[in-house]
Amino acid sequence: MKMLIKNSKVISHSTNGYFNILIEDHLIRKITTNIPEADIVIDASNLITIPGIIDMHAHLREPGYEYKETLKTGLMAAVHGGVTTLGIMPNTNPSIDNLKIANNIKTRAQAYNLARPIIIPSLTKNRAGKELNNIKLLIKNGYKFFSDDGNPIYDAKIMFESLTILKKFNGIIINHCEDTRFKNTDLFESLMVARDVELSKYTGARVHIAHISTSNTIDLIKYAKSENINITCEVTFHHLLLTNREKDPLKKINPPLPDIQTQKKLIENLEHIDIIVSDHAPHSFEEKNLEYENAPNGISGLDVFFPALCSISKKYNIDLEKLIEKVTYQPAKIFNLNNIGDIKEGYYADIVLVDTNKTWDGKIFSKGKNLPYKQLHGKVILTIVNGEIKYDGRK
């Protein structure tokens, strides 16, 4: 069956302008100014067509915390927000720390046939930071990205050993950099970032710094890039849009939201920040309704990914094209994700149609309703994954 998207403004790394896109057998077959014949024709006049968003940092809670989120509800939230590829973090119960659990989650997530799941197993057993998992076996079976997620890798020797192994396979460690001994200081994040920069420089292995949030970290990232060290990093859209001077439990997140000055520096240094993520962290209403000190960290985010991106563009007068690059082409490049992240002939038809003149529809498919956003610019109209419509906002 052939599907045609016609009359749309396309924004992507390889294709920009007004084109018609022909989809067949799950692939982008033709990008043309002509109008080919098709079984399904989607008139995208007045809409923008972008590659499917790649979000490499999300928590879907299953197994163990299904009252917060399930694979199905998380993946539904993803396509609602324009996300077609999703990195699933291992902070579950039990942790995704062995091949059996990783394969089980992957198979079940794929069966829902929504967003593409990328399972990110933990680096150490039970995410405890004491003993390395059998990462060679996991790599042999196709898993190349590892993270203990909210648990930093405190032990420099374990970090060194794992980097030495992963260097041989071009694998990546995604590290939550935090030294709790320096909580409430500017050093809490950057001390571990500095260590990881040195370890990456020494081993030549790849480290991806999760959700950066401080001025010191930005300076270290800029240094690492100037020295061609294999360091990449991400920022959440929450850290670019929100502050939390009022100590609102809905805005409680780790790392904490920045003050205005630090947020300004994050925005001014976006060119040095490789990708933008949601750090989707759903919680129940009862949990987030506690006093601030007792409420858990985390903001739900998948449902509003594109609207948040559009809001950043409008708030700071940043070209939307630059932001689209950081959630499509850049993550595909960093994580070696073949044939996605771009609108290009021969690539998988992971495509999102959006309307930047409308506002977020207010719907939340995630079980986690812990979103502090009242209104956001931009609306996802249609999400296509692998050539099939997975979310239709026209209905």
Side-chain angles (χ1 to χ4, degrees):
M1 184 174 287
K2 296 180 180 180
M3 180 188 297
L4 179 68
I5 301 171
K6 69 174 188 177
N7 303 329
S8 179
K9 179 182 179 181
V10 179
I11 296 178
S12 72
H13 181 78
S14 298
T15 306
N16 288 277
Y18 287 87
F19 293 97
N20 303 312
I21 302 170
L22 182 67
I23 298 167
E24 185 181 14
D25 296 331
H26 311 296
L27 302 177
I28 298 172
R29 289 294 185 192
K30 188 176 290 186
I31 301 171
T32 177
T33 54
N34 297 322
I35 303 180
E37 291 186 2
D39 304 289
I40 300 172
V41 178
I42 298 167
D43 189 349
S45 301
N46 302 316
L47 301 179
I48 295 174
T49 298
I50 65 173
I53 292 170
I54 301 169
D55 182 2
M56 288 303 295
H57 196 140
H59 312 91
L60 298 196
R61 307 302 192 197
E62 186 177 344
Y65 305 104
E66 286 85 353
Y67 72 95
K68 297 174 187 273
E69 190 78 285
T70 65
L71 292 172
K72 184 177 182 181
T73 57
L75 292 166
M76 287 172 61
V79 294
H80 175 227
V83 175
T84 59
T85 298
L86 190 63
I88 299 174
M89 286 293 178
N91 63 333
T92 52
N93 186 21
S95 301
I96 306 175
D97 67 355
N98 61 68
L99 184 60
K100 182 179 178 181
I101 295 176
N103 282 345
N104 178 263
I105 296 297
K106 181 180 179 181
T107 299
R108 291 171 58 222
Q110 287 176 334
Y112 289 115
N113 198 23
L114 291 163
R116 299 173 183 274
I118 296 177
I119 310 304
I120 301 171
S122 64
L123 189 68
T124 67
K125 291 185 178 180
N126 201 33
R127 299 171 50 243
K130 303 295 184 183
E131 184 180 356
L132 267 184
N133 285 329
N134 190 345
I135 56 177
K136 288 184 179 178
L137 178 63
L138 285 158
I139 290 168
K140 184 179 178 181
N141 284 272
Y143 301 95
K144 295 183 69 175
F145 320 128
F146 298 88
S147 178
D148 276 3
D149 191 48
N151 294 352
I153 310 295
Y154 284 109
D155 192 321
K157 186 176 180 181
I158 284 180
M159 190 70 170
F160 175 80
E161 182 182 348
S162 57
L163 286 173
T164 303
I165 294 170
L166 287 171
K167 172 69 164 60
K168 299 173 184 177
F169 303 97
N170 199 28
I172 301 175
I173 294 176
I174 303 169
N175 196 18
H176 171 120
C177 289
E178 178 183 11
D179 190 328
T180 54
R181 296 171 298 180
F182 293 88
K183 190 177 180 181
N184 300 322
T185 77
D186 288 342
L187 294 175
F188 83 95
E189 181 178 85
S190 56
L191 275 177
M192 193 173 287
V193 173
R195 182 206 69 178
D196 286 356
V197 167
E198 286 296 298
L199 287 172
S200 177
K201 181 179 181 180
Y202 186 83
T203 62
R206 302 176 66 191
V207 179
H208 181 79
I209 309 298
H211 42 49
I212 70 168
S213 66
T214 72
S215 294
N216 290 353
T217 295
I218 291 170
D219 293 338
L220 288 165
I221 294 294
K222 289 167 72 173
Y223 159 76
K225 290 180 180 294
S226 72
E227 295 292 318
N228 294 316
I229 299 169
N230 265 335
I231 293 284
T232 54
C233 69
E234 68 191 31
V235 68
T236 82
F237 53 72
H238 308 301
H239 286 79
L240 302 179
L241 284 172
L242 302 171
T243 58
N244 194 14
R245 287 171 292 184
E246 67 272 37
K247 297 290 185 181
D248 181 354
L250 279 178
K251 295 181 182 179
K252 186 180 179 185
I253 191 173
N254 193 28
L257 292 171
D259 57 30
I260 298 256
Q261 184 177 356
T262 305
Q263 190 176 71
K264 185 172 182 286
K265 185 163 182 177
L266 288 168
I267 291 292
E268 290 173 347
N269 286 276
L270 265 181
E271 64 183 293
H272 304 290
I273 300 172
D274 297 277
I275 65 175
I276 299 171
V277 299
S278 71
D279 193 9
H280 176 70
H283 293 290
S284 70
F285 172 79
E286 290 76 17
E287 289 170 321
K288 272 297 191 177
N289 202 37
L290 296 172
E291 293 293 326
Y292 183 81
E293 292 303 321
N294 296 321
N297 292 304
I299 301 173
S300 188
L302 283 173
D303 280 287
V304 297
F305 201 121
F306 177 76
L309 212 64
C310 188
S311 297
I312 293 168
S313 172
K314 290 183 180 294
K315 181 176 181 179
Y316 299 107
N317 195 28
I318 299 171
D319 286 345
L320 184 60
E321 184 175 343
K322 292 181 180 179
L323 298 174
I324 296 299
E325 187 89 348
K326 291 186 182 295
V327 300
T328 58
Y329 183 79
Q330 278 294 105
K333 180 181 176 183
I334 289 168
F335 291 93
N336 294 315
L337 308 176
N338 295 327
N339 297 324
I340 62 173
D342 202 357
I343 294 180
K344 191 174 182 180
E345 290 180 359
Y347 271 47
Y348 291 113
D350 291 3
I351 292 172
V352 180
L353 275 62
V354 300
D355 191 334
T356 58
N357 295 315
K358 292 188 176 180
T359 55
W360 168 48
D361 57 21
K363 295 177 182 176
I364 304 173
F365 286 83
S366 169
K367 275 191 173 184
K369 313 303 180 187
N370 50 310
L371 281 78
Y373 302 103
K374 299 272 192 298
Q375 187 178 41
L376 291 166
H377 296 284
K379 181 183 178 182
V380 172
I381 305 301
L382 210 65
T383 301
I384 298 168
V385 184
N386 207 25
E388 299 176 356
I389 295 173
K390 301 301 179 183
Y391 172 73
D392 192 341
R394 301 171 299 179
K395 297 177 179 178

